[in-house]
Amino acid sequence: MITFPWQRARALRAHGVLGMNQRNGDFIARVNPRRLYPLVDDKVRTKTLAQAAGIQVPQLYGLIAIQHQVLQLPKLLEGREDFVVKPVNGSGGNGVLVIVGRRKGRYRKASGAQLTEDELEHHVSNTLSGLYSLGGQPDAAMIEYRVKVDPVFEPISHQGVPDLRTVVYKGYPVLAMVRLPTALSDGKANLHQGAIGAGIDIASGLTGRGVWRNEVIDEHIDTGNPITGVQVPQWETLLELAARCYDISGLGYLGVDFVLDRDFGPMMLEMNARPGLNIQIANQTGLLPRLATVDAHGREGASVAERVAFARQRFGRP
Amino acid sequence: MSKGSSVLRNRHLLILCLLLVAAGGSLFLYKWLDLGVPIKADNAIGAWTVEARIRFTAQSGKPVKVRFAVPLRPPGFALLDETFVSSGYGLSTAVQDGDREALWAIRRARGEQELYYQAVVYPARDTAQSSGSRPPPVEPPQFSDAQAAVVTSLVEQIRAHSADIATFAVETLQRLGARDNSDINLLLAGDNSPERRAEVAAGILATANIAARPVYGFQLQKEGRRLPLLTRLEVHNGERWLSFDPLSGAQGQPDDFLVWSRGKPPLRDSDGVRHLRLEFSAAENTYEALAVARQRAAERGSLALQFSLLSLPVQMQMVYRVVLTMPLGALIIVLLRNVVGIKAFGTFAPILIALAFRETRLLNGILLFTGIVALGLGARFYLERLKLLLVPRLASVLTVVVLMMATLSVLTYQLGIGAGLSVALFPMVILTMTIERMSIGWEEAGPREALQQAGGSLLAASLAYLVMTERQVQHLVFMFPELLLIVLAITLALGRYTGYRLTELRRFKALAG
């Protein structure tokens, strides 16, 4: 049977799927004041902000802001076996380099690929010149603690650490997913780079079925382990932390990324003022009804606990 | 929810859009319908300038008066413009019996005098209005007694040999053409010219109670000075005027025959002049239909065209012909990105590429773009191994791109396949940035994504090119820049289009079930 575009559009509308235009026009433009963007676009500022609010973040080892400092890289990395290099203003996981070990002056990536000192410096230089930054403006590179994967996720993440993305609307967590790295994604947790996205039930913290590219899957494509029905540890805490990010950022429509560290527990990686829409696919559900629920019944000035309770009650999987 | 504010904002936007459409639309309609600014790009009209020059010597001490017939609604033509040149003379025109006359008068004039009349006419199918005019009452002709007797017998004979008014006229003209007939010679009084024949024929027809008149005019076939004044015979058959060649009797007026005056030759009479000479000349030239509009606007004192882009120097006009299409290109991009949802490099880079296509034409442009980007990408991947810093690397790619373009131009020129391949304005910087973005996309998101975006850029550029170079589109935005207000309204409205993009229908396919 042929589906006409308008029929498809009506079906999507009926399922409350949020489109890019509506996200930008009806939500981001309305509840995300432009002046707050730098808070989340600059990962160092986000880190500071979170720390000030008592939210754990991966430790910052060093910041390289000018080309000349690239020369101090070896010194800065002295004694560090593993670390992550990230563009301060990056987005979508671009320019993130994860080093899991070093041998004979070479750095080893999660995939096993080796990097020479030169290549690492080149990567940092590229970052400084703005190659990975949002608008292409000069950037800085931060070097931080490499998160260790929590045992729960070990069977279903290939050479990387899964991250937990939550969309928070007006302080209410509305939709969540876990992004599982694959061999294809080079240990990164970005869906467009080939990671798997699996929805998480807001009420229980149990994972649902996953989506890889455009396929719905139940097992990890690399390890073959089931990805459904996994209980995310400290789910309540994670929801509360996510909800608090609204208070510290002021952004009404927000994507928050947390990781679960084996040793330190939940850590915030970044906040995103324009979170992607794939979370809907991962959850097999549209965002609009939940956003409307918050608009209709959410209370301004509600406490974090109240908001989390509201979300768990309203947005639980039936 | 701030649903209220959203609705309010939408109403605000709606009103703004409606105002813009109303403003742009009404100005457009005014210029098109009222001033007659042509909406078609092909507005060049093959027009003829016919000039009458009247030269004479003024008789000293006497007032000068010259009455001269000027065209009025000539069948098959439309009068676009006319000019009277007569310095110092008083001028008046009058219309009588479907004929128009100009009267030049001056109390005192000395020596050689020149009067000019110039008419610009263009072929137009509006014969209905002039042929519909009712014939003037038949005037009894002035024949001598001997002539009158001949005419009376002729009318009898002709009536016997004809079926209707048209054949009556033909028969009359044929009989007037008979040689060595003393009766005919008596009527023509030794003047065998077409003018005389038309005049006499009109008289004979009038005697038979048929409205007829000689008409004078020109065959607008070739340009030249001293255009001969030709005569034809017009006969009214009760419904419309039929035209006959006074010599052959052939019926039907040629398309390029311009009727100048009816009933009598153009020069009606003159007072106080000597050595009067009348000369006609004709020149063909193309007139923009716009000229009509401008004149009409000027006559009415309308500022709409006075403050138009046409008042700019021609070179600047040429630039604006291009620049004014850019909002349309931008609208295409808006549609492609926000409604269709195609991916492309940069926001308006496709428009710049589209502008570059103007130089190369579409197919060449696409080939060039693809070739340069592919080669540049190769160079870029090689440079990647050298681990250069970003800006120097971009500069290197730019240099490579420029060199490749130059080589390509020389090669294609030498091989003779690149005739007309002008790449002077191909935006190398845009190409360089495209190559850079594509190579990053290639590495970060894979070749598929990169090729998709490159294809999207090319598609957007091609569509924008097709719209921006369309002659009719260019003509419209240049003649009616106010249409851009409507484009603005559409763009603004699309700015609040929060529906799904077409590509999202596919992307979220799994959620539609």
Side-chain angles (χ1 to χ4, degrees):
Chain A
M1 193 183 84
I2 305 159
T3 319
F4 291 108
W6 54 91
Q7 292 175 322
R8 179 71 65 73
R10 208 174 304 142
L12 290 181
R13 186 65 67 207
H15 286 86
V17 175
L18 179 64
M20 187 80 83
N21 289 331
Q22 198 177 10
R23 182 200 72 177
N24 294 343
D26 283 352
F27 294 97
I28 293 184
R30 192 157 51 82
V31 296
N32 284 0
R34 195 81 219 178
R35 66 191 158 78
L36 297 177
Y37 279 41
L39 295 183
V40 295
D41 285 348
D42 183 323
K43 291 194 179 63
V44 177
R45 285 182 75 173
T46 316
K47 222 184 247 295
T48 321
L49 215 60
Q51 274 175 320
I55 297 177
Q56 278 200 97
V57 293
Q59 189 198 341
L60 184 67
Y61 294 156
L63 186 68
I64 296 182
I66 54 174
Q67 182 59 35
H68 186 71
Q69 292 173 322
V70 175
L71 298 176
Q72 297 160 16
L73 203 57
K75 202 173 159 209
L76 191 72
L77 296 173
E78 211 164 48
R80 306 258 184 233
E81 270 300 303
D82 58 339
F83 53 88
V84 178
V85 184
K86 261 186 196 174
V88 171
N89 285 300
S91 75
N94 291 344
V96 176
L97 183 66
V98 184
I99 300 297
V100 297
R102 55 206 293 189
R103 190 201 290 175
K104 293 185 196 158
R106 282 169 181 269
Y107 300 92
R108 193 157 52 82
K109 297 208 288 180
S111 60
Q114 303 247 327
L115 244 64
T116 63
E117 190 95 36
D118 266 2
E119 284 168 327
L120 182 71
E121 284 173 10
H122 180 63
H123 180 87
V124 173
S125 294
N126 271 344
T127 307
L128 294 190
S129 48
L131 188 47
Y132 310 110
S133 74
L134 286 167
Q137 68 271 56
D139 201 353
M142 55 194 232
I143 294 158
E144 63 175 26
Y145 167 77
R146 179 176 78 93
V147 176
K148 313 292 185 296
V149 65
D150 185 281
V152 175
F153 293 123
E154 216 155 343
I156 50 168
S157 45
H158 187 265
Q159 304 168 341
V161 183
D163 74 6
L164 301 145
R165 155 66 58 94
T166 311
V167 170
V168 180
Y169 181 57
K170 294 182 175 173
Y172 292 86
V174 287
L175 215 49
M177 69 169 165
V178 59
R179 297 184 291 191
L180 306 165
T182 62
L184 191 80
S185 76
D186 192 23
K188 289 171 194 165
N190 288 94
L191 297 195
H192 69 264
Q193 290 171 338
I196 298 167
I200 303 175
D201 176 30
I202 294 276
S204 63
L206 284 169
T207 59
R209 305 179 71 183
V211 174
W212 180 69
R213 300 215 170 253
N214 286 323
E215 296 168 46
V216 177
I217 53 169
D218 290 323
E219 280 119 32
H220 194 278
I221 53 157
D222 297 321
T223 64
N225 292 319
I227 55 175
T228 52
V230 177
Q231 172 68 58
V232 177
Q234 308 186 57
W235 182 238
E236 170 106 40
T237 314
L238 277 165
L239 283 179
E240 278 176 5
L241 289 172
R244 276 177 62 193
C245 287
Y246 163 68
D247 301 303
I248 63 173
S249 71
L251 292 167
Y253 187 88
L254 182 69
V256 192
D257 292 345
F258 273 89
V259 284
L260 272 177
D261 186 77
R262 188 179 62 201
D263 307 319
F264 300 101
M267 285 180 157
M268 193 191 70
L269 282 188
E270 61 175 271
M271 292 191 241
N272 201 322
R274 323 161 187 78
L277 298 166
N278 278 333
I279 197 166
Q280 300 178 105
I281 305 175
N283 276 283
Q284 295 288 295
T285 189
L287 264 163
L288 282 172
R290 300 191 177 196
L291 301 178
T293 303
V294 173
D295 275 329
H297 306 290
R299 194 166 55 79
E300 222 166 298
S303 73
V304 170
E306 281 170 334
R307 296 197 304 252
V308 168
F310 177 91
R312 293 186 80 166
Q313 189 217 325
R314 295 275 188 152
F315 306 140
R317 201 172 280 155
Chain B
M1 177 176 176
S2 27
K3 204 165 200 163
S5 88
S6 163
V7 167
L8 201 67
R9 202 169 46 193
N10 279 347
R11 182 178 297 167
H12 180 130
L13 190 72
L14 187 73
I15 290 169
L16 179 64
C17 288
L18 288 178
L19 282 178
L20 286 170
V21 169
S26 52
L27 190 53
F28 164 71
L29 289 176
Y30 167 64
K31 279 164 78 174
W32 171 35
L33 297 175
D34 217 30
L35 298 182
V37 179
I39 55 165
K40 286 267 183 60
D42 296 305
N43 57 356
I45 290 171
W48 287 87
T49 306
V50 185
E51 183 187 89
R53 182 158 72 141
I54 305 165
R55 285 188 292 174
F56 55 85
T57 313
Q59 284 180 309
S60 51
K62 280 194 173 182
V64 172
K65 262 164 101 179
V66 175
R67 279 206 306 144
F68 181 72
V70 293
L72 173 75
R73 282 189 247 113
F77 287 92
L79 196 60
L80 200 150
D81 192 13
E82 58 179 356
T83 326
F84 296 87
V85 179
S86 47
S87 74
Y89 280 76
L91 171 74
S92 63
T93 58
V95 177
Q96 209 182 4
D97 295 339
D99 210 11
R100 192 164 65 126
E101 282 179 2
L103 173 65
W104 278 290
I106 195 165
R107 187 161 294 279
R108 206 157 288 162
R110 280 186 122 183
E112 279 285 306
Q113 302 285 311
E114 276 191 335
L115 300 172
Y116 283 99
Y117 169 77
Q118 231 180 37
V120 179
V121 295
Y122 63 93
R125 281 188 214 90
D126 60 350
T127 42
Q129 51 169 268
S130 76
S131 38
S133 62
R134 285 168 167 267
V138 183
E139 278 177 44
Q142 300 281 319
F143 288 123
S144 67
D145 289 350
Q147 287 173 327
V150 170
V151 167
T152 313
S153 86
L154 260 179
V155 167
E156 289 297 315
Q157 293 169 36
I158 295 166
R159 192 165 278 152
H161 283 90
S162 63
D164 56 6
I165 289 175
T167 46
F168 193 106
V170 173
E171 184 70 23
T172 308
L173 288 168
Q174 278 171 356
R175 281 177 188 256
L176 286 178
R179 286 171 178 272
D180 305 328
N181 182 319
S182 55
D183 283 358
I184 300 300
N185 286 344
L186 178 68
L187 284 179
L188 295 178
D191 184 354
N192 211 13
S193 68
E195 296 88 61
R196 179 67 189 161
R197 286 202 209 176
E199 209 178 305
V200 171
I204 294 170
L205 287 159
T207 309
N209 238 0
I210 299 169
R213 63 189 182 192
V215 296
Y216 301 86
F218 304 98
Q219 199 75 33
L220 295 181
Q221 265 170 336
K222 56 176 190 231
E223 317 196 2
R225 302 181 63 80
R226 292 169 200 270
L227 198 66
L229 185 68
L230 304 176
T231 312
R232 294 185 68 82
L233 179 68
E234 272 191 354
V235 179
H236 204 277
N237 72 351
E239 287 171 12
R240 57 197 185 92
W241 289 102
L242 307 174
S243 179
F244 296 90
D245 180 346
L247 291 186
S248 69
Q251 195 193 328
Q253 180 177 300
D255 284 344
D256 42 16
F257 188 83
L258 170 72
V259 174
W260 191 276
S261 73
R262 298 180 174 104
K264 280 176 267 179
L267 192 65
R268 295 299 154 80
D269 59 46
S270 56
D271 278 338
V273 307
R274 282 180 298 154
H275 308 304
L276 190 138
R277 282 148 293 162
L278 175 59
E279 248 176 42
F280 291 95
S281 59
E284 190 177 20
N285 37 27
T286 51
Y287 263 74
E288 302 243 337
L290 181 64
V292 202
R294 291 181 85 168
Q295 201 195 330
R296 238 176 271 176
E299 275 168 14
R300 299 184 200 179
S302 166
L303 298 177
L305 290 179
Q306 199 178 337
F307 285 94
S308 81
L309 291 158
L310 292 161
S311 60
L312 294 174
V314 175
Q315 221 164 356
M316 216 184 280
Q317 287 188 27
M318 296 317 285
V319 175
Y320 271 103
R321 270 178 201 277
V322 179
V323 169
L324 287 172
T325 59
M326 287 179 68
L328 284 167
L331 180 61
I332 298 285
I333 304 289
V334 169
L335 284 171
L336 285 179
R337 299 194 62 149
N338 279 49
V339 178
V340 178
I342 68 151
K343 293 174 182 171
F345 296 117
T347 310
F348 288 125
I351 292 190
L352 294 169
I353 294 169
L355 286 176
F357 284 174
R358 297 175 62 89
E359 306 289 318
T360 60
R361 317 290 289 277
L362 188 58
L363 190 65
N364 284 337
I366 291 176
L367 289 175
L368 200 65
F369 177 88
T370 316
I372 295 286
V373 168
L375 289 171
L377 208 54
R380 168 66 179 73
F381 281 136
Y382 169 72
L383 289 177
E384 175 67 22
R385 294 165 48 169
L386 302 181
K387 307 291 176 204
L388 304 177
L389 297 181
L390 178 73
V391 180
R393 186 175 64 224
L394 282 177
S396 313
V397 174
L398 176 68
T399 310
V400 171
V401 166
V402 168
L403 286 174
M404 280 191 308
M405 296 280 284
T407 313
L408 211 67
S409 291
V410 171
L411 272 180
T412 51
Y413 183 76
Q414 288 293 334
L415 296 174
I417 50 174
L421 179 78
S422 156
V423 293
L425 278 174
F426 219 85
M428 322 273 177
V429 173
I430 296 296
L431 275 178
T432 304
M433 294 308 291
T434 303
I435 290 166
E436 179 67 17
R437 288 210 182 103
M438 191 167 170
S439 88
I440 292 167
W442 193 289
E443 276 177 21
E444 296 277 338
R448 204 185 128 102
E449 176 80 13
L451 288 174
Q452 249 179 24
Q453 291 200 27
S457 300
L458 205 51
L459 178 74
S462 304
L463 282 178
Y465 164 85
L466 289 177
V467 170
M468 289 165 69
T469 52
E470 166 61 36
R471 245 170 71 81
Q472 183 63 41
V473 168
Q474 277 195 353
H475 172 80
L476 278 177
V477 289
F478 186 75
M479 288 299 163
F480 307 96
E482 60 272 14
L483 288 177
L484 290 184
L485 291 179
I486 298 175
V487 172
L488 177 62
I490 298 171
T491 311
L492 285 171
L494 282 173
R496 281 300 305 163
Y497 169 71
T498 54
Y500 298 114
R501 300 173 181 180
L502 281 177
T503 49
E504 284 179 333
L505 299 181
R506 225 174 89 87
R507 177 182 172 197
F508 295 124
K509 191 169 61 182
L511 294 175

